[in-house]
Amino acid sequence: MDDAPIGIFDSGVGGLTVARAVSQLLPRESITYIGDTARSPYGPKPIADVRRYSLEVLDTLVDQGVKMLVIACNTASAAMLRDARERYSVPVLEVIGPAARTAMSTTRNGRIGVIGTAGTIGSGVYQDMLGVNENLTVFAQACPRFVEFVEAGVTGSPEVLAVAEEYLAPLRHAGVDTLVLGCTHYPFLEGAISYVMGPDVSLVASDTETAKDVYRQLVSRDLLAGVDARATHVYEATGDSADDFLDLADRLIGRGVDSVRLVQTGAIDLPKGITP
């Protein structure tokens, strides 16, 4: 048994969906969450910068004594998952694999759409993972403004619907029956996305499937918190306003984030082979 917290990292507030799913499935587990709000969004940034930022934040979580790392950011996972698994001795989980596996088992016609940030779509990680099944046809679409809307707390405006219509039209015309929300920010726009895609398209988000992966890893590694453990949830952000983070979290997920502390991540020595 291990009562140390699970470390969850995202570029901003999107990963709160994963933190919420983990706490619902594993109520005795403590969580330390860091949103890199000072440098969000990650999607349009160069991959080398995303690697550096992500490893800085993960270093901070490891220094705080977490027993597991969950990269709740698709762009970061695509950029540096292998580096993280080589760098840290604790288990490192991500959100891409769980969503891809669920999409494979969900589709009926073999036509799967994937939406994500420019960084995630450009990496080809979902296309490669889903492409191992030769019976599937994958259609990918970058939706860069979606993260901007969520980080601004705007989830249901006419502008959101108009942008969703523009982004999703090619996927609708392609006849996909399953759509992977390849960014943890996107579930906050699920209403608009579902409206545009129509009732016959299944939406796949990674939060609940990632929580199941967390459970499996904790059990297999004997890392579950003890039966008498009292869970604590710590929320941290790299931005300069705790109030802004709290206000946005409250608007997006309601009560649950009572306080946030601001942290600074330091410069790191990049693993060999990574250039700034």
Side-chain angles (χ1 to χ4, degrees):
M1 299 297 177
D2 190 331
D3 293 345
I6 298 166
I8 301 178
F9 150 63
D10 185 60
S11 61
V13 298
L16 291 173
T17 58
V18 175
R20 179 174 57 186
V22 170
S23 65
Q24 288 173 344
L25 188 63
L26 295 157
R28 288 199 299 269
E29 296 294 337
S30 293
I31 290 172
T32 299
Y33 178 97
I34 295 183
D36 193 11
T37 50
R39 297 177 290 201
S40 181
Y42 277 8
K45 290 182 169 59
I47 190 171
D49 289 345
V50 173
R51 284 173 172 166
R52 183 170 65 253
Y53 300 157
S54 301
L55 290 171
E56 286 178 4
V57 176
L58 294 178
D59 277 2
T60 301
L61 284 168
V62 170
D63 288 345
Q64 293 183 26
V66 300
K67 64 182 175 183
M68 171 183 286
L69 292 168
V70 180
I71 307 173
C73 175
N74 288 260
T75 305
S77 294
M80 44 65 73
L81 177 61
R82 180 178 299 177
D83 303 314
R85 286 180 169 163
E86 292 176 353
R87 184 176 181 85
Y88 306 113
S89 59
V90 299
V92 180
L93 279 65
E94 43 79 35
V95 291
I96 295 173
R101 291 192 295 270
T102 301
M104 288 182 185
S105 63
T106 300
T107 183
R108 304 173 302 280
N109 68 4
R111 301 173 75 81
I112 296 176
V114 179
I115 56 175
T117 66
T120 297
I121 298 302
S123 74
V125 61
Y126 274 105
Q127 298 93 310
D128 292 344
M129 194 169 292
L130 293 167
V132 300
N133 186 333
E134 60 185 16
N135 297 316
L136 299 178
T137 305
V138 182
F139 303 87
Q141 174 69 45
C143 303
R145 292 194 64 193
F146 279 178
V147 171
E148 296 174 15
F149 283 129
V150 173
E151 291 287 336
V154 180
T155 59
S157 71
E159 186 180 8
V160 169
L161 278 173
V163 171
E165 289 274 5
E166 176 186 348
Y167 284 154
L168 302 176
L171 302 178
R172 195 172 62 245
H173 295 154
V176 303
D177 74 347
T178 302
L179 180 64
V180 177
L181 308 185
C183 175
T184 49
H185 285 71
Y186 292 2
F188 294 118
L189 302 176
E190 191 167 344
I193 294 169
S194 179
Y195 177 81
V196 171
M197 293 303 298
D200 295 329
V201 176
S202 299
L203 304 186
V204 174
S206 56
D207 50 359
T208 56
E209 299 305 317
T210 300
K212 293 174 187 176
D213 265 12
V214 170
Y215 179 87
R216 283 189 286 265
Q217 286 292 324
L218 292 177
V219 171
S220 66
R221 297 171 182 267
D222 195 26
L223 291 176
L224 281 172
V227 293
D228 297 325
R230 299 184 63 181
T232 59
H233 293 173
V234 175
Y235 299 93
E236 301 175 336
T238 62
D240 56 9
S241 174
D243 288 340
D244 287 348
F245 186 96
L246 287 171
D247 289 344
L248 183 54
D250 183 64
R251 277 187 282 168
L252 293 174
I253 67 171
R255 294 181 179 178
V257 181
D258 298 321
S259 63
V260 61
R261 64 191 185 196
L262 301 180
V263 297
Q264 288 187 334
T265 60
I268 64 166
D269 294 324
L270 290 173
K272 191 175 182 180
I274 298 179
T275 57

